[in-house]
Amino acid sequence: MSRKSLTSVAAAFATALLLAGCGTSAATDATAEIDPQATVRYATTYGASSFDPHKTRITSDSTMLNLVYDRLVHRDRNADPVPGLAESWEFSEDGSTLTLNLRQDVTFSDGTPLDASAVVANLRRALEPDSITAAMLAGVESVEATDAHTVVLRLNGPGGQLVLTLSDLPGMIVNPNAFGDPDKDAALVLDPAGAGRYTVVESQPGAQYRFAARDDYWDPEAVQAEGFEWVVMTDPQTRVNAVASDQLDAAMATPMSLDPADQQGLQTYVQTSLNNYVLNLNRTRSEFGKLEVRQALAHAVDRESVVETALEGRGEPASQNFPVGYFAHNEALDGQYAFDPGKAKQLLGDAGVPGGFSFVAGVSNLPENQMIGQILQEQLARVGITMEIRSMTPTDLNPAFNRGELDAILTTLVGRADPSLLLTSFYGQESPQNPSHDAIPGFREAMEAANRATDPDERAVLLGEVNAVVMNYAAMLPIAFAELGAVASDRLVGYEPNRVVDEWRGVGVAAP
């Protein structure tokens, strides 16, 4: 069996993905007869901390939420924007407004019409200061409906990022009947109210979820299975075994699962994703307020050995926030923090801590993260830095860090629809995912310049400059990008890995 491997051609907003060296399989065979009554059974490493897209505190929740919420803008598998709940959109000539022309005859799962008033209510909620989405919608001054199917966003700042932003959490539309008071908001955390392909029929938070397809969904081609089961399995070998024994149709492929899958004759569909293993630092704790300390950490880590050991060679060392070949990658940063323990020790001396220091890092309990944590712990110890590991579940880890309870976390930043979303979410001064709340010199100005650009090539260069600003500040320590996708049986139909996140639109199971 051959491995299906995807690479991305560098171009703005993602260009065509090239399928390298692979044959045909049921997962990509459009002629396979699909069983419309089947259930796609899938396992991955996490569930959802909340079914409320605007008030959640974990952006990776968007992966599961894509099943139950449609967005104003959708993405194709190349990450380009395509019509979603908005059939079309246009900026005014002076860039002061973005007009969304909504699809008609769309309903929420309870039959309530989805119209412009519902979209306005959602976007206003997404702009509330306590919403995780507020920072992502920077530049939006107000939102109004001009008729039942037209919404106008009035801008007081750059808006080049907004189209793809609306394909992420900010563009997920909730039934307005399901929010607006404390009781409704609390219920929404566990019980979604969307206009998406599926509804939740059973939920065991953090363990297992069952979804049922909607008969009246506006895009029937996107629904090729009557049900979807989402099971949380953190151990890669367990996931592979479950697919091999026909307990599952597919499972998330992470580096440690690829060789076992090949050995059992399963299909593997992977590409280097935007998901980035990082050591995120609270710059108000430990010694992390000192630039030289943060730079010392960056020089103390041997990323090549992390990839070869923890990821079994199935990834790419991370010199910055975006991988090689992605349009926001800045080649000038590739050697900035080369592995150099001597340099790390010198910087610690410059920072006034020549004997080193200690800090507590929360580490996700996923196998790859645990191994990376142990490697970092050993490498940092060589330059005098003591890293105490506190193992935590993925759903507990990020909220604890965002509340300011940890010095650092070793986590995975999930790829986002537009680079500005990741940059703003983790480096923006007011973002709830930046517990440091420090003003990174030049960040706001560089971000605004990038978002003023609408030409793809110009915007790529300017986003690379934003990337340089945060890397010069050593705000976070990128470690590695992993090859991700799915391990699948030969009955899975229509699956291809996405550079951002898998959405499972149009995926089904072949008839026996």
Side-chain angles (χ1 to χ4, degrees), residues 171-363:
M172 291 185 178
I173 304 302
V174 183
N175 188 334
N177 296 328
F179 62 79
D181 65 49
D183 289 340
K184 289 181 178 180
D185 289 347
L188 188 60
V189 171
L190 298 174
D191 188 14
R197 293 162 286 157
Y198 291 93
T199 60
V200 175
V201 294
E202 182 183 352
S203 173
Q204 300 175 34
Q208 187 168 355
Y209 308 78
R210 289 198 304 116
F211 302 86
R214 290 181 56 193
D215 294 332
D216 57 348
Y217 184 63
W218 62 267
D219 182 11
E221 292 299 315
V223 186
Q224 296 295 328
E226 187 175 77
F228 198 101
E229 291 184 3
W230 183 296
V231 182
V232 177
M233 291 184 180
T234 58
D235 181 68
Q237 185 66 61
T238 301
R239 294 195 302 271
V240 170
N241 291 344
V243 177
S245 61
D246 197 35
Q247 297 174 59
L248 296 172
D249 301 298
M252 181 181 182
T254 56
M256 285 185 177
S257 65
L258 295 178
D259 284 344
D262 283 344
Q263 291 163 9
Q264 297 202 49
L266 300 175
Q267 305 295 320
T268 57
Y269 302 86
V270 298
Q271 66 164 322
T272 300
S273 73
L274 298 183
N275 287 22
N276 190 358
Y277 293 100
V278 302
L279 186 66
N280 197 356
L281 312 174
N282 185 328
R283 297 174 293 279
T284 68
R285 294 175 62 106
S286 186
E287 299 290 339
F288 297 142
K290 301 172 183 177
L291 173 61
E292 295 88 353
V293 166
R294 302 194 300 271
Q295 292 173 330
L297 259 71
H299 283 293
V301 173
D302 182 354
R303 297 164 184 80
E304 292 278 358
S305 71
V306 170
V307 171
E308 291 304 314
T309 304
L311 304 186
E312 300 182 355
R314 312 289 194 176
E316 172 187 312
S319 64
Q320 53 190 279
N321 292 284
F322 306 107
V324 174
Y326 187 63
F327 73 95
H329 179 88
N330 186 338
E331 291 184 1
L333 302 175
D334 285 346
Q336 182 176 19
Y337 293 118
F339 176 50
D340 189 340
K343 179 70 171 177
K345 291 180 180 179
Q346 175 194 324
L347 286 164
L348 290 174
D350 294 344
V353 285
F357 65 98
S358 63
F359 69 97
V360 177
V363 179

